[in-house]
C-alpha cells in the first residue's frame, strides 16, 4: 500500500504545492490534500493555536487538524527559512513544525523538511532533501529524480502564474483540467496585493477575486509580474527589503504605481501581521503622495460578515469608474 | 409630479427621502431603526405615503446603508448601492465643488475626499466603532440628557476637559472619573465631543488632505458641539447641509433617478408595502462544513430571496426563477 502524505492547503501551499506534490509522488507516496478552508477548519485553528498568532497561521493549524482525521501516515509541515538568496521569510514559517508539535496532540509524524536557500542551493539543501527522501526509499537515484521533477513542476507552475493565471487555475491545469480564461477586455484592472495565503484563500477573504470580477474588474497579482518589474519597484526604496514576500508586495506595488498598468490597487492584509503592518504603510504612503492611482486597504480577520468588504469594494469600484468617465 | 424615493437603512436610523426631477427634496423621514429594519422601513413608507398628495408619482426607488439588501426587497428598488457612493452623490448634488465629506453615522464613520466632483479617496472605520453616534446615544442615556440637546449643552462649556477618545470603554470610565471630580456636565460633554473628533481625525482622517468646502453629514452632524470641535481642530469652516441626516437617502434617490433613466421603468412596489407582511427566517445550511447561516426573506408567504450562503446554492435557487433583482 502507498504511503500517504498529507499536505495542508494553507500558507505556502499556494506558492509551492505543485513541486511538493510531484516530489512525493515520484517517491511513490500518495498526496492527500486537506479540504478547502471552511468554517470548521477556521474554528479548529483558532481554538488550537496560540492566541497571538496571525489568522493565516491559525488557518494552517485548522488544516493540519483536518488532515489528522484523514488517515494519513505523515503530515508535511516544512520548516521554510528562506526561499531565495539573502532573503528570509517571516519567523513563523521557521518555527511552524515546532508550533504544530507543541500545540496539537496525537497527530501523525511530521515531515519537517528544512528549506533554506539563504546561501543558495548548496550541499546542505541537497542533504536535507535526501534525508526526507529516505523516509520513502533507499534508492538514491529515485530521490534525485524526484528532486529534478519537483523543480521542473515548480518552473512550470510559475510559468502558468506569469501568464496571468491564479494559483487554483494553474494547479487545475497542471492536473490535466482545461481552464478557459474569460476575455478581460473592458474590465477594470485591479492590482491585488497581499500574501497568496490571504488573497487566494477564498474562505478567509470571502472570495475577493470573485467579488472583484462581479463588480467588473480583473486582477493582476505580484505573481503575474516579471521578476525584473518587481526588482525595479523594490529598488526604488533605499533599503533592501529582506522578507521575500514583503519585498514582492512592495516592489509590485511600486511598479504598478509607476507603470500605470492598473486602474486601482487593493491591498489585503491580515489583522495582526507584523511585516504587513510595515509594508502596507510603505506602499500606501507612496500612492497617497502621488495621488494618481487609487488604493483600497482591506484587513481580514476571523469575522465572517461580508457586508464590510462588499461596501468598501463596491464603493472603490464606483470611484474607479467615476474617474474613467470624466 | 414625478418623484424619486431613496431609502437609507442604517444601524441606528432609517431615513427616507423623496426628491423631484430637479433633485430638490420634497419630503423626508428620519426614524430610529431600533433593531427592526423591516418595521422601520414600513413605518417610514407609511408616513411618507400618507403625507404626499395624489399628484405625486414615484418613478424610481433606490436603497443604501447596511440594510440596503433588505430594504431593496421591501420597496422594490431599481438600484441598491453602498452608502459611500450614495453620500458622495448627494453631497456633490448640494455643493458641487465639495472637496471633503465628513460623515458620522450610528455605527460607522467615513471620510470621502473629492476633487473636481470626483471621489478620489475614502476611508471607513475598521474594527472600532469608537466615536460614532451610538456611543453618543449611550452617553446621553447615561447622563439622562436627550441626544438632541447634547450639542447645545457642549457649547455652554467654559473649560476644556480632556477625555480619552481611543476606546469607548475607556472614554466612559474617564468621563465618570471627571464627573466625580466635580467638572460640570457641559465641560464633560464638550470634552467628549473633542475626544470624538480627535479620534476621527487620527483614525479615519489619517493622511488625508482635508480641503474646503467641507461638508459634515450623517446623524451626528445635528450635534453642534461636534461641528464646533471639528472647526476648532481643523481651523476651517465646516458646513452642515440642511438635510444632513438623510443625505444617504437623497443620494440613493438621485441614483435611482439615473438608474430608471437608463432602464426605462421602475420596480417600485408602491406605498402598499407598508401593509404587506414581510418576515425573515434563518437556518443553518448543513450542505458542507461551512455551515452557512442562510437568511430567507418572505413576502406574504412567498420566499423572495435567500442570502448568506457561500456557495450561492440558496441564493441562486430564488434568483433563477425569474426574479431579476440583482445584487449591486
Amino acid at each position: 500500500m502507498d504511503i500517504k502524505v498529507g499536505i495542508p492547503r494553507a500558507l505556502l501551499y499556494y506558492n509551492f504545492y505543485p513541486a511538493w506534490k510531484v516530489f512525493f509522488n515520484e517517491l511513490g507516496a500518495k498526496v492527500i490534500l486537506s479540504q478547502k478552508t471552511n468554517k470548521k477548519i477556521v474554528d479548529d485553528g483558532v481554538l488550537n493555536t496560540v492566541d497571538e498568532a496571525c489568522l493565516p497561521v491559525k488557518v494552517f493549524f485548522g488544516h493540519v487538524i483536518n488532515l489528522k482525521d484523514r488517515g494519513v501516515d505523515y503530515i508535511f509541515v516544512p520548516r521554510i527559512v528562506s526561499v531565495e538568496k539573502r532573503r528570509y521569510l517571516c519567523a513563523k514559517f521557521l518555527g511552524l513544525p515546532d508550533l504544530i508539535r507543541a500545540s496539537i496532540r496525537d497527530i501523525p509524524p511530521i515531515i519537517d523538511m528544512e528549506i533554506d536557500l539563504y546561501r543558495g542551493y548548496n550541499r546542505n539543501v541537497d542533504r536535507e532533501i535526501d534525508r526526507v527522501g529516505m523516509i520513502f526509499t533507499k534508492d538514491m537515484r529515485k530521490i534525485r529524480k524526484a528532486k529534478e521533477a519537483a523543480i521542473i513542476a515548480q518552473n512550470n507552475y510559475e510559468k502558468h502564474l506569469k501568464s496571468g493565471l491564479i494559483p487554483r487555475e494553474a494547479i487545475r491545469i497542471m492536473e490535466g483540467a482545461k481552464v478557459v480564461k474569460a476575455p478581460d477586455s473592458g474590465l477594470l484592472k485591479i492590482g491585488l496585493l497581499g500574501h497568496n495565503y490571504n488573497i487566494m484563500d477564498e474562505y478567509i477573504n470571502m472570495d475577493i477575486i470573485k467579488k472583484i470580477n462581479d463588480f467588473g474588474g480583473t486582477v493582476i497579482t505580484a505573481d503575474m509580474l516579471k521578476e525584473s518589474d518587481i526588482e525595479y519597484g523594490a529598488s526604488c526604496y533605499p533599503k533592501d527589503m529582506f522578507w521575500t514576500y514583503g519585498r514582492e508586495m512592495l516592489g509590485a506595488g511600486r511598479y504598478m504605481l509607476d507603470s500605470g498598468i492598473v486602474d486601482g490597487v487593493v491591498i489585503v492584509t491580515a489583522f495582526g501581521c507584523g511585516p504587513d503592518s510595515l509594508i502596507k504603510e510603505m506602499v500606501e504612503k507612496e500612492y497617497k503622495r502621488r495621488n494618481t492611482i487609487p488604493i483600497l486597504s482591506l484587513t481580514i480577520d476571523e469575522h465572517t460578515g461580508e457586508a464590510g468588504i462588499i461596501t468598501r469594494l463596491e464603493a472603490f469600484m464606483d470611484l474607479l469608474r467615476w474617474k474613467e468617465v470624466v | 409630479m414625478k418623484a424619486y424615493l431613496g431609502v437609507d437603512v442604517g444601524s441606528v436610523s432609517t431615513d427616507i427621502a423623496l426628491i423631484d426631477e430637479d433633485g430638490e427634496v420634497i419630503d423626508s423621514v428620519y426614524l430610529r431603526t431600533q433593531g427592526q429594519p423591516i418595521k422601520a422601513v414600513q413605518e417610514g413608507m407609511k408616513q411618507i405615503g400618507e403625507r404626499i398628495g395624489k399628484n405625486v408619482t414615484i418613478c424610481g426607488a433606490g436603497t443604501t446603508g447596511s440594510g440596503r439588501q433588505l430594504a431593496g426587497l421591501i420597496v422594490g428598488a431599481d438600484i441598491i448601492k453602498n452608502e459611500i457612493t450614495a453620500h458622495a452623490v448627494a453631497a456633490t448634488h448640494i455643493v458641487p465643488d465639495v472637496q471633503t465629506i465628513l460623515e458620522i453615522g450610528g455605527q460607522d464613520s467615513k471620510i470621502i475626499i473629492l476633487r473636481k466632483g470626483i471621489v478620489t479617496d475614502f476611508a471607513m472605520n475598521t474594527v472600532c466603532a469608537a466615536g460614532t453616534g451610538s456611543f453618543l446615544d449611550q452617553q446621553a442615556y447615561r447622563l439622562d440628557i436627550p441626544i438632541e440637546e447634547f450639542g447645545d449643552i457642549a457649547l455652554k462649556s467654559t473649560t476644556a476637559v480632556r477625555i480619552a477618545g481611543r476606546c469607548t470603554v475607556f472614554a466612559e470610565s474617564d468621563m465618570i472619573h471627571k464627573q466625580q471630580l466635580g467638572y460640570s456636565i457641559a465641560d464633560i460633554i464638550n470634552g467628549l465631543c473633542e475626544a470624538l473628533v480627535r479620534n476621527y481625525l487620527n483614525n479615519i482622517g489619517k493622511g488625508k488632505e482635508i480641503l474646503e468646502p467641507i461638508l459634515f453629514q450623517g446623524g451626528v452632524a445635528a450635534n453642534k458641539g461636534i461641528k464646533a470641535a471639528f472647526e476648532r481642530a481643523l481651523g476651517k469652516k465646516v458646513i452642515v447641509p440642511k438635510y444632513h441626516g438623510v443625505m444617504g437617502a437623497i443620494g440613493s434617490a438621485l441614483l435611482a433617478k439615473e438608474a430608471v433613466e437608463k432602464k426605462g421603468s421602475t420596480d417600485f412596489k408602491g406605498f402598499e408595502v407598508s401593509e404587506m407582511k414581510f418576515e425573515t427566517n434563518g437556518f443553518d445550511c448543513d450542505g458542507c462544513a461551512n455551515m452557512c447561516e442562510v437568511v430567507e426573506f418572505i413576502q406574504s408567504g412567498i420566499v423572495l430571496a435567500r442570502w448568506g450562503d457561500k456557495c450561492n446554492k440558496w441564493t441562486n435557487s430564488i434568483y433563477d426563477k425569474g426574479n431579476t433583482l440583482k445584487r449591486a
Side-chain angles (χ1 to χ4, degrees), chain A residues 40-312:
Chain A
K40 189 171 182 310
I41 287 179
V42 175
D43 285 350
D44 282 345
V46 170
L47 278 174
N48 287 287
T49 320
V50 282
D51 190 46
E52 56 264 38
C54 63
L55 178 67
V57 165
K58 290 178 181 174
V59 170
F60 187 87
F61 272 61
H63 280 275
V64 171
I65 293 169
N66 183 266
L67 283 170
K68 188 179 119 174
D69 311 321
R70 302 270 300 277
V72 296
D73 301 296
Y74 294 96
I75 297 181
F76 182 57
V77 184
R79 184 189 304 280
I80 307 177
V81 181
S82 164
V83 294
E84 58 179 334
K85 259 191 179 172
R86 318 293 299 166
R87 288 200 186 89
Y88 282 115
L89 295 191
C90 167
K92 64 183 179 253
F93 291 106
L94 205 147
L96 208 51
D98 308 314
L99 274 170
I100 294 283
R101 280 199 196 97
S103 314
I104 308 175
R105 281 161 190 234
D106 306 322
I107 48 169
I110 282 176
I111 299 179
D112 60 348
M113 179 197 276
E114 184 172 312
I115 300 172
D116 182 1
L117 302 178
Y118 190 76
R119 290 185 172 74
Y121 192 105
N122 58 20
R123 244 187 349 191
N124 291 333
V125 179
D126 257 334
R127 218 175 281 152
E128 175 67 7
I129 297 173
D130 291 345
R131 177 185 74 86
V132 171
M134 272 146 79
I135 298 172
F136 302 91
T137 176
K138 297 276 168 282
D139 182 351
M140 293 313 283
R141 272 190 13 235
K142 204 170 171 188
I143 296 175
R144 206 177 65 213
K145 232 185 108 217
K147 231 184 302 188
E148 285 160 3
I151 292 170
I152 292 169
Q154 183 65 21
N155 289 340
N156 271 338
Y157 178 56
E158 285 175 16
K159 234 176 263 161
H160 283 304
L161 295 180
K162 292 262 174 286
S163 78
L165 297 175
I166 58 173
R168 57 173 173 262
E169 292 165 341
I171 289 170
R172 271 174 47 215
I173 284 189
M174 293 183 73
E175 289 180 348
K178 271 216 171 81
V179 173
V180 184
K181 266 285 219 209
D184 57 4
S185 57
L187 297 176
L188 288 167
K189 291 191 179 63
I190 306 296
L192 183 60
L193 298 178
H195 293 281
N196 272 340
Y197 48 77
N198 289 332
I199 59 176
M200 296 301 166
D201 186 325
E202 301 147 59
Y203 186 86
I204 63 168
N205 65 33
M206 300 169 211
D207 212 349
I208 189 159
I209 294 182
K210 185 169 178 296
K211 288 197 168 71
I212 290 176
N213 293 341
D214 287 351
F215 288 134
T218 173
V219 301
I220 298 176
T221 64
D223 276 344
M224 298 175 192
L225 298 179
K226 291 201 288 274
E227 173 50 36
S228 58
D229 295 338
I230 290 170
E231 176 55 39
Y232 158 79
S235 67
C236 294
Y237 293 88
K239 194 178 170 223
D240 185 48
M241 183 47 66
F242 45 82
W243 293 302
T244 294
Y245 297 112
R247 174 182 164 274
E248 211 176 85
M249 214 190 291
L250 194 66
R254 184 61 178 262
Y255 171 75
M256 287 173 181
L257 178 66
D258 284 2
S259 65
I261 57 162
V262 293
D263 297 302
V265 168
V266 175
I267 183 164
V268 179
T269 55
F271 184 69
C273 172
D276 277 5
S277 67
L278 190 85
I279 307 282
K280 189 191 96 172
E281 287 297 319
M282 289 171 76
V283 173
E284 263 190 314
K285 209 170 151 188
E286 199 54 30
Y287 275 78
K288 301 267 138 127
R289 203 177 65 80
R290 303 248 200 112
N291 210 1
T292 47
I293 294 178
I295 186 165
L296 172 74
S297 156
L298 295 174
T299 309
I300 51 172
D301 199 10
E302 287 157 37
H303 50 235
T304 52
E306 289 192 59
I309 289 212
I310 293 175
T311 298
R312 286 166 179 82

Side-chain angles (χ1 to χ4, degrees), chain B residues 180-242:
Chain B
Q180 312 298 52
L181 282 174
Y183 288 96
S184 78
I185 289 274
D187 288 344
I188 291 172
I189 292 180
N190 188 44
L192 178 66
C193 292
E194 291 197 330
L196 200 145
V197 165
R198 205 162 48 234
N199 188 39
Y200 176 95
L201 292 175
N202 275 337
N203 200 340
I204 300 152
K206 187 183 65 181
K208 304 262 184 291
E209 202 185 5
I210 298 175
L211 297 179
E212 286 180 278
I214 303 165
L215 241 59
F216 179 23
Q217 49 200 49
V220 175
N223 190 318
K224 290 173 195 146
I226 304 270
K227 176 184 180 261
F230 263 124
E231 289 185 328
R232 277 196 300 275
L234 294 168
K236 286 175 182 142
K237 200 174 163 307
V238 171
I239 307 163
V240 175
K242 186 177 165 203

